[in-house]
Amino acid sequence: MQNGSAGMVKSNGGFDVPCPQPDATMLSRLLKEHQAKQNERKELQEKRRREAITAATCLTEALVDHLNVGVAQAYVNQRKLDHKVKTLQAQAAQFAKQTGQWIGMVENFNQALKEIGDVENWARSIELDMHTIATALEYVYKGQLQSAPS
């Protein structure tokens, strides 16, 4: 049991016996142990934080590298498409030019056929006129023969 005076305890016999006080060295040692444990925890926490940052950095780099591969492939594909589009445009322009030349040749051919048809019509017309003239001359000649005194 304790009485009101600090550091004194009453024994069963009623005498005051000095209570052992914590030694200053003991408190100092406990404080140092506590601080050492706290420092260990802080170091462990700092180590884990650095490891987490390193792991997050590695993960981020891996994700970016993975995405960059896809982006790089898309860029290469886009360049190939651009090249093919330019080639196709050049070929289409060449085809349009060649088609224009073919159309011109067909129009010239049609014009030549029309001219041949015109010449053929002219020749028929002349042939018909010549036939008419020949028939008239023959008629006149026969008429002269009949009217001539024999």
Side-chain angles (χ1 to χ4, degrees):
M1 280 183 84
Q2 288 188 356
N3 68 7
S5 61
M8 299 299 272
V9 176
K10 286 213 177 214
S11 69
N12 285 342
F15 297 103
D16 287 334
V17 179
C19 177
Q21 293 292 322
D23 196 329
T25 56
M26 188 173 145
L27 284 176
S28 175
R29 184 176 48 86
L30 287 174
L31 179 63
K32 286 180 183 178
E33 287 176 8
H34 175 69
Q35 287 174 343
K37 285 182 181 178
Q38 274 189 328
N39 286 338
E40 286 177 22
R41 285 186 191 125
K42 284 181 184 179
E43 287 174 9
L44 181 61
Q45 185 178 9
E46 183 64 26
K47 179 183 173 189
R48 288 179 180 165
R49 187 184 67 80
R50 284 192 304 265
E51 289 174 354
I53 288 173
T54 302
T57 301
C58 289
L59 175 65
T60 302
E61 288 175 358
L63 289 173
V64 168
D65 288 345
H66 180 70
L67 291 175
N68 281 344
V69 167
V71 169
Q73 186 62 44
Y75 178 75
V76 167
N77 290 345
Q78 183 64 40
R79 300 235 337 148
K80 286 180 184 177
L81 285 174
D82 289 344
H83 177 70
K84 289 188 182 218
V85 165
K86 287 179 184 177
T87 302
L88 185 60
Q89 285 175 337
Q91 290 174 346
Q94 179 65 25
F95 181 69
K97 180 180 175 183
Q98 190 175 24
T99 303
Q101 290 173 343
W102 288 344
I103 289 172
M105 289 172 56
V106 168
E107 287 175 352
N108 290 339
F109 182 71
N110 282 340
Q111 186 62 34
L113 285 178
K114 286 179 185 178
E115 290 173 5
I116 289 173
D118 290 345
V119 168
E120 185 179 355
N121 285 337
W122 176 76
R124 280 188 196 151
S125 176
I126 292 207
E127 183 182 3
L128 186 60
D129 288 347
M130 294 302 281
H131 184 64
T132 304
I133 292 172
T135 304
L137 286 175
E138 189 178 322
Y139 181 72
V140 169
Y141 178 72
K142 283 183 183 179
Q144 284 180 354
L145 283 178
Q146 289 176 355
S147 59
S150 325

